[in-house]
Amino acid sequence: MQHLGGIHGTGVLKGGGKTLARVVYDFDGFLRKPGEVIGSGEIRMPPDTLRQVFGREDLHLLTGNGRLLRLRFSEKHLPAASDAAHVDVAGDLPPQSEWRH
């Protein structure tokens, strides 16, 4: 697996057909095999909102530049009062050439 670099920004968390919260994200991208980019990193949002969505499997992030990314929480437990969680990212990730090192 090859590290491609990172992307970061703000977006809107969506789930169940509804807008749930504004989030800040910071993801690293990896090339798993030719043409297949995957990501992982952190999302941040108000702690109360994060507790409400933590563990859901229907979450998507609509980034400020219009990409729709599927999110899956990587951790089993959320620390109390945390405003950040680690996620695995798939979907409309940028191609290999658009990641910043």
Side-chain angles (χ1 to χ4, degrees):
M1 206 174 330
Q2 176 187 351
H3 182 256
L4 299 175
I7 58 172
H8 64 276
T10 60
V12 177
L13 186 67
K14 296 184 167 283
K18 297 180 181 177
T19 296
L20 304 172
R22 292 210 46 84
V23 300
V24 175
Y25 66 89
D26 189 5
F27 300 147
D28 284 312
F30 300 90
L31 187 63
R32 186 163 28 193
K33 58 185 177 183
E36 184 181 358
V37 176
I38 59 170
S40 67
E42 186 176 83
I43 58 172
R44 290 186 170 277
M45 67 185 81
D48 288 345
T49 306
L50 182 55
R51 276 194 306 279
Q52 291 173 10
V53 300
F54 186 79
R56 286 182 59 169
E57 297 182 7
D58 66 338
L59 298 177
H60 290 81
L61 172 65
L62 180 60
T63 66
N65 61 358
R67 293 186 178 280
L68 188 62
L69 308 175
R70 289 187 313 273
L71 304 181
R72 183 177 58 91
F73 290 100
S74 338
E75 301 164 314
K76 300 289 183 209
H77 302 284
L78 181 65
S82 180
D83 70 343
H86 193 269
V87 292
D88 297 320
V89 185
D92 186 26
L93 286 162
Q96 180 178 356
S97 61
E98 290 184 25
W99 290 83
R100 88 180 141 70
H101 292 281

